[in-house]
Amino acid sequence: MTGGFEGWPRGAFDVLLQLDGDPSAEVRRRWRGEREELVRRPMVELLNAIADADPEYEDFAVWGYGEVLVQAWQRQSAIVRMARNVELGVRFDLDGLEVGVAWWYAPSEQVERYRAAVADPGTGRRLVAIVRKLEREGFALSGDLLKRPLRGYPADHPRAELLRHRSVIASRPLGCEDWIHTAAAADRVLAAFAQLRPLTRWLVKNVAQQRP
């Protein structure tokens, strides 16, 4: 992939090591400039490269880091907004890169649409097929679940576990090999986004039903 993105410098891991554990405010101030240059800036360049490759991914945000939440200094996160409450995500930390898609913080009308789509024989079975394929490809499904089976549906419903979800997250670590220091990291993220496309589109069509 061409463009300004050339991967994360090896020094990015040195910076994150300095911020590991429980770094003081003084330590964070000392490393702020290098963190911005070596950790956050490559993420901005990555998301720009991905948007250049596919305009579908042009609505993105790369998180900053506040003074209170230490964890925000220890990892660099970014999202690509696909629809209301549906986001692709990228995270860089000491373990390397992780990608995923999330439908979360959803209003009640989206939760109801999700449950109706899961219960429907056509869209529900399609979701099961999508999830099973993602799991075979190394993605893990998670999210906020009700502790008990959903009322109004039989306990032995074939998709009872999916019906309990109030949010859906599918994520997979991409690793921390030498490619992370090169432009090939963008190709890895794009390939993972392509794997996530069926779930993303299912959520946009059946749950969000609109662009943000």
Side-chain angles (χ1 to χ4, degrees):
M1 176 174 290
T2 59
F5 177 69
E6 298 180 352
W8 272 269
R10 295 184 184 275
F13 290 98
D14 296 331
V15 173
L16 291 180
L17 278 171
Q18 296 297 326
L19 296 168
D20 197 23
D22 188 19
S24 66
E26 179 183 352
V27 169
R28 282 177 273 157
R29 283 194 298 270
R30 186 187 313 153
W31 289 93
R32 186 183 191 107
E34 289 185 65
R35 190 201 182 285
E36 179 68 25
E37 178 65 18
L38 301 179
V39 178
R40 186 175 183 274
R41 181 181 57 79
M43 181 67 85
V44 175
E45 294 173 348
L46 169 70
L47 271 292
N48 274 308
I50 288 172
D52 288 343
D54 189 335
E56 184 178 14
Y57 304 135
E58 64 185 7
D59 183 13
F60 66 84
V62 178
W63 295 155
Y65 32 93
E67 296 300 327
V68 178
L69 189 62
V70 172
Q71 291 86 347
W73 288 73
Q74 298 167 335
R75 55 179 179 257
Q76 182 59 60
S77 299
I79 60 164
V80 180
R81 302 179 187 91
M82 303 305 295
R84 185 185 179 197
N85 306 104
V86 180
E87 301 167 347
L88 292 164
V90 185
R91 187 176 74 186
F92 173 78
D93 59 20
L94 284 171
D95 294 321
L97 277 178
E98 181 175 292
V99 296
V101 65
W103 164 66
W104 50 6
Y105 305 115
S108 58
E109 62 267 22
Q110 282 196 2
V111 175
E112 290 305 314
R113 285 200 293 265
Y114 168 79
R115 291 170 177 168
V118 172
D120 180 84
T123 53
R125 289 170 182 163
R126 171 63 177 155
L127 178 60
V128 170
I130 290 169
V131 168
R132 286 177 177 170
K133 185 173 187 295
L134 285 174
E135 290 174 339
R136 290 195 299 270
E137 293 170 340
F139 288 87
L141 191 75
S142 61
D144 181 27
L145 277 68
L146 296 171
K147 296 185 181 299
R148 298 179 180 180
L150 184 64
R151 292 181 180 179
Y153 295 88
D156 60 350
H157 191 284
R159 293 175 293 283
E161 187 72 10
L162 285 171
L163 283 168
R164 291 171 56 209
H165 279 258
R166 291 182 292 196
S167 64
V168 173
I169 302 169
S171 60
R172 178 168 73 88
L174 298 184
C176 189
E177 300 174 20
D178 284 344
W179 53 259
I180 206 167
H181 305 299
T182 74
D187 297 316
R188 300 265 180 157
V189 173
L190 276 168
F193 280 5
Q195 290 177 303
L196 289 165
R197 185 171 290 126
L199 178 56
T200 303
R201 290 182 172 172
W202 190 96
L203 291 167
V204 170
K205 178 180 179 180
N206 296 291
V207 181
Q209 297 186 346
Q210 60 183 355
R211 297 291 294 188

